Amino acid sequence: MSLLRTGRFPLYGTAVVVFLLGSLTGCASSPNLGDETSTAQPSTASPTPTPTSTAGDDEVTCAALGDVRTILYNARAAFETDRMSQDELNHWADLASRVLSNTPSADHGSIADAVDAVKEAAPDGQSLLGAFALGAHDPTAELAAACEAAGFAVVMSGFVGG
């Protein structure tokens, strides 16, 4: 399925542009780079500590959880309606697991703790996939609740059927 058909192209395009601009800004703002005649003195002020947890990290984590749940729900639905083989289902489950494990998250806080709990409870895609079987415990439920409590909606889209 192409990026244009999934509706994710603007999201990925924006992420690439932001990354590139951030990279260029970092290079352009390097003081005295290649200027050997500079008389700038080294700073003696201590750097300000950067926060280890940001709302931005939590928002990205919660958005990724929506993507993970979308992948798993639709893969499971396609498998249950004989639209997908077991091998394809396994690959989609692995993809969902990679998306979750590659998502940056804050270092501490309720969302970070819930991410750690999901990764511990479901270290592979197959464990995550089991959550979308009838009557199974959903290892992503605690993370979804933490996201909702922090004010970040977890959006899941079902599109298999019809």
Side-chain angles (χ1 to χ4, degrees), residues 19-37:
F19 174 75
L20 291 175
L21 287 176
S23 297
L24 292 174
T25 303
C27 292
S29 66
S30 298
N32 307 320
L33 186 61
D35 183 10
E36 296 178 15
T37 62

Side-chain angles (χ1 to χ4, degrees), residues 12 55-69 71 95-107 111-112 114-116 118-119 128 143 147:
Y12 293 125
D57 290 337
D58 288 345
E59 185 174 15
V60 168
T61 300
C62 295
L65 175 62
D67 293 342
V68 166
R69 291 179 112 187
I71 291 167
L95 174 63
S97 182
R98 280 196 321 267
V99 168
L100 187 60
S101 66
N102 291 333
T103 300
S105 64
D107 292 337
I111 293 175
V115 167
D116 291 342
V118 170
K119 288 178 182 178
L128 281 173
L143 177 54
C147 289

Side-chain angles (χ1 to χ4, degrees), residues 8 18 20 32 35 49 54 66 68 74 84 101 103 111-112 118 121 123 137-138 140 152-153:
R8 295 274 183 204
V18 168
L20 291 175
N32 307 320
D35 183 10
T54 65
V68 166
N74 287 290
M84 180 182 293
S101 66
T103 300
I111 293 175
V118 170
H137 170 71
D138 180 0
T140 66
F152 303 116

Side-chain angles (χ1 to χ4, degrees), residues 66-157:
D67 293 342
V68 166
R69 291 179 112 187
T70 295
I71 291 167
L72 295 171
Y73 174 81
N74 287 290
R76 188 74 179 183
F79 178 75
E80 295 295 330
T81 58
D82 294 324
R83 296 172 188 225
M84 180 182 293
S85 69
Q86 180 67 50
D87 190 47
E88 288 174 298
L89 180 65
N90 294 343
H91 290 296
W92 280 108
D94 291 341
L95 174 63
S97 182
R98 280 196 321 267
V99 168
L100 187 60
S101 66
N102 291 333
T103 300
S105 64
D107 292 337
H108 68 285
S110 62
I111 293 175
D113 293 343
V115 167
D116 291 342
V118 170
K119 288 178 182 178
E120 185 177 310
D124 62 355
Q126 297 309 307
S127 299
L128 281 173
L129 186 61
F132 290 88
L134 292 176
H137 170 71
D138 180 0
T140 66
E142 182 181 329
L143 177 54
C147 289
E148 295 287 337
F152 303 116
V154 176
V155 179
M156 183 176 86
S157 300

